[in-house]
Amino acid sequence: KIVAKKTKTLTRNQIIKKIGNPHLNLYTGKDYFYFVFGGYNYAQHSVMVPYLKDLSLDQWVDEGKSFLQEIGQ
């Protein structure tokens, strides 16, 4: 008997929660996503993939944390 493994759907909220910065958000563009840091130092960073599932949760977290490091957060 073969049992199909149920894959967990990745959400933007899961990504932001795991990164843990209250001023960071992740938005959807056309065929890409972008992080926005909305504190006193507004900045944004694009990730050129059409679907959240194109990266793992850890890859998304790495993208977000690298962005925060780049802007001194």
Side-chain angles (χ1 to χ4, degrees):
K1 182 177 178 182
I2 298 174
V3 178
K5 186 176 181 182
K6 191 172 185 178
T7 57
K8 198 172 186 182
T9 302
L10 186 60
T11 67
R12 291 179 292 154
N13 285 339
Q14 288 172 321
I15 295 164
I16 294 302
K17 186 176 180 178
K18 188 159 182 183
I19 294 169
N21 185 304
H23 300 292
L24 188 67
N25 287 295
L26 180 58
Y27 298 102
T28 306
K30 183 163 174 51
D31 293 330
Y32 71 101
F33 290 84
Y34 58 102
F35 287 100
V36 173
F37 180 79
Y40 59 88
N41 181 19
Y42 176 87
Q44 75 178 44
H45 168 74
S46 297
V47 181
M48 304 307 290
V49 296
Y51 305 104
L52 281 177
K53 67 181 180 179
D54 288 341
L55 298 178
S56 69
L57 176 58
D58 289 339
Q59 288 172 311
W60 279 109
V61 170
D62 288 346
E63 283 282 341
K65 287 185 175 181
S66 292
F67 167 55
L68 290 172
Q69 274 187 327
E70 286 174 22
I71 62 170
Q73 296 299 312

